[in-house]
Amino acid sequence: MAATPAVAQPVNVRGQILLPGGQPPTESIRFSLYSGDGRVNEIRFTDSNGRFILERLSPNFDYTIEVTGDNTLFSNTTHNFNPG
């Protein structure tokens, strides 16, 4: 009898976006969330300290968070992660 493969459970990710100097922002920051398979392509916002929670992400995909800067004080930042 073959074993039934385990189904990967969705995961929640807590994070924080910091300013270039390492300090938390003093207002909400807009960011884009992308996954490699195209299932998630959303615009999200942090709280006023840069914190966010991403709920029910698949542990089987790589995700990208992209923060678009103003090209004067801050440049664009992209970070890839895998919650699995």
Side-chain angles (χ1 to χ4, degrees):
M1 177 181 278
T4 304
V7 176
Q9 296 296 316
V11 295
N12 298 337
V13 174
R14 292 176 188 253
Q16 185 174 21
I17 296 172
L18 300 174
L19 297 176
Q23 69 275 21
T26 57
E27 59 188 44
S28 179
I29 292 185
R30 178 182 172 203
F31 66 95
S32 301
L33 175 67
Y34 303 97
S35 72
D37 72 342
R39 287 191 319 156
V40 178
N41 186 357
E42 301 177 10
I43 303 296
R44 301 277 187 105
F45 292 87
T46 68
D47 69 7
S48 61
N49 292 311
R51 294 180 298 236
F52 61 87
I53 298 175
L54 303 174
E55 297 177 315
R56 303 189 52 78
L57 296 180
S58 172
N60 300 323
F61 296 102
D62 291 327
Y63 292 88
T64 301
I65 290 178
E66 180 180 79
V67 179
T68 303
D70 61 8
N71 293 323
T72 301
L73 297 174
F74 306 107
S75 60
N76 295 348
T77 301
T78 302
H79 181 75
N80 297 317
F81 69 96
N82 185 311

